[in-house]
Amino acid sequence: MTWAKERGCPAEVFEPPSGPPFPPMESFDLLIVLGGPMSVFEEDKHPWLIAEKAFLREAIRSGKRVLGICLGAQMLAEVLGGRVYRNGEKEIGWHPVRRTEARHPLLAGLPEMFWSFHWHGDTFELPEGAVHLASSGACRNQAFAFGDRLLGLQFHLETTPACMTAMTEAWADELVPGRWIESAAAMLAKTARCADSAACLRKILDRMLAAHAGERAAG
């Protein structure tokens, strides 16, 4: 929401677990699908996932620009034909993300390696036709693009210090010793990294906005 306000773009937040209605397709140009503690494949426990996936498919068919983050990236991968499954290990805390050799305009300007916040136990297969854009030590598929309108990020560039605090309190039971799991104290000692993450996210969103503006100008 901060980025949208800075750029003068109207924005609304919808919470699928609260139920419909989803916004009409003509009411938006960019859809950002965020994360959550559930798994994409837990439709029996969370029936609203079915409706959200249907809405996402419609958005893709309608030519909308979509950014999926964590659960949102997994959902985007699934609706495009990729399989979502448990990762070998949970990845929680601040871990480096490394870009692949593949170049894509939406990630132009991002460093070849950057630190990002992570909190996930699942991962996804790359959909056929997707471009693999980033990896981490714990999880191979950290970012992908599908064409020039769809981008999935497994990691959390949007994380703020307040968000980190809330997550460590709400899901403290997940912070068990592990190769890729940091303690709450270790995570919260690195809140200064949130500013760099936010700058990376702004670059991505600015490029999505510029592409949309250029398309409208071209008629």
Side-chain angles (χ1 to χ4, degrees):
M1 296 296 284
T2 300
W3 172 85
K5 290 178 181 177
E6 291 173 352
R7 299 298 183 264
C9 300
E12 293 186 67
V13 177
F14 294 86
E15 298 184 3
S18 300
F22 285 98
M25 288 293 141
E26 64 272 15
S27 70
F28 67 94
D29 300 301
L30 169 63
L31 174 65
I32 301 176
V33 187
L34 296 171
M38 64 291 300
S39 294
V40 166
F41 43 79
E42 293 182 319
E43 294 179 353
D44 290 344
K45 293 171 62 176
H46 307 285
W48 54 266
L49 286 167
I50 299 171
E52 185 173 3
K53 291 174 188 179
F55 175 75
L56 179 55
R57 289 188 183 96
E58 185 181 359
I60 294 170
R61 285 195 297 267
S62 298
K64 303 300 180 180
R65 288 181 166 79
V66 180
L67 172 61
I69 296 176
C70 198
L71 177 69
Q74 296 163 9
M75 190 173 293
L76 182 59
E78 183 184 276
V79 302
L80 291 171
R83 181 174 66 98
V84 180
Y85 57 97
R86 298 293 187 197
N87 195 40
E89 298 184 72
K90 286 189 176 181
E91 185 177 26
I92 301 175
W94 289 97
H95 301 292
V97 175
R98 291 177 173 81
R99 296 178 60 184
T100 67
E101 294 182 358
R103 302 292 91 173
H104 193 279
L106 290 178
L107 295 194
L110 265 65
E112 293 302 308
M113 188 283 284
F114 53 90
W115 291 88
S116 184
F117 190 72
H118 304 256
W119 198 304
H120 70 104
D122 296 340
T123 187
F124 52 83
E125 292 177 343
L126 293 176
E128 185 176 353
V131 179
H132 183 213
L133 297 176
S135 293
S136 71
C139 184
R140 179 180 184 275
N141 294 331
Q142 284 286 352
F144 73 93
F146 193 90
D148 59 359
R149 294 173 180 266
L150 311 179
L151 180 66
L153 306 177
Q154 179 60 69
F155 45 91
H156 291 279
L157 293 177
E158 81 286 4
T159 301
T160 64
C163 181
M164 288 172 56
T165 299
M167 292 171 78
T168 57
E169 292 175 353
W171 303 315
D173 60 323
E174 293 193 49
L175 302 181
V176 298
R179 184 182 178 192
W180 302 103
I181 299 177
E182 290 190 313
S183 67
M187 290 183 232
L188 296 173
K190 301 168 185 172
T191 55
R193 288 177 175 166
C194 291
D196 290 337
S197 288
C200 288
L201 182 58
R202 270 192 219 97
K203 287 181 180 179
I204 292 170
L205 292 172
D206 282 345
R207 289 190 174 277
M208 297 185 95
L209 179 61
H212 173 68
E215 189 175 90
R216 291 188 64 181

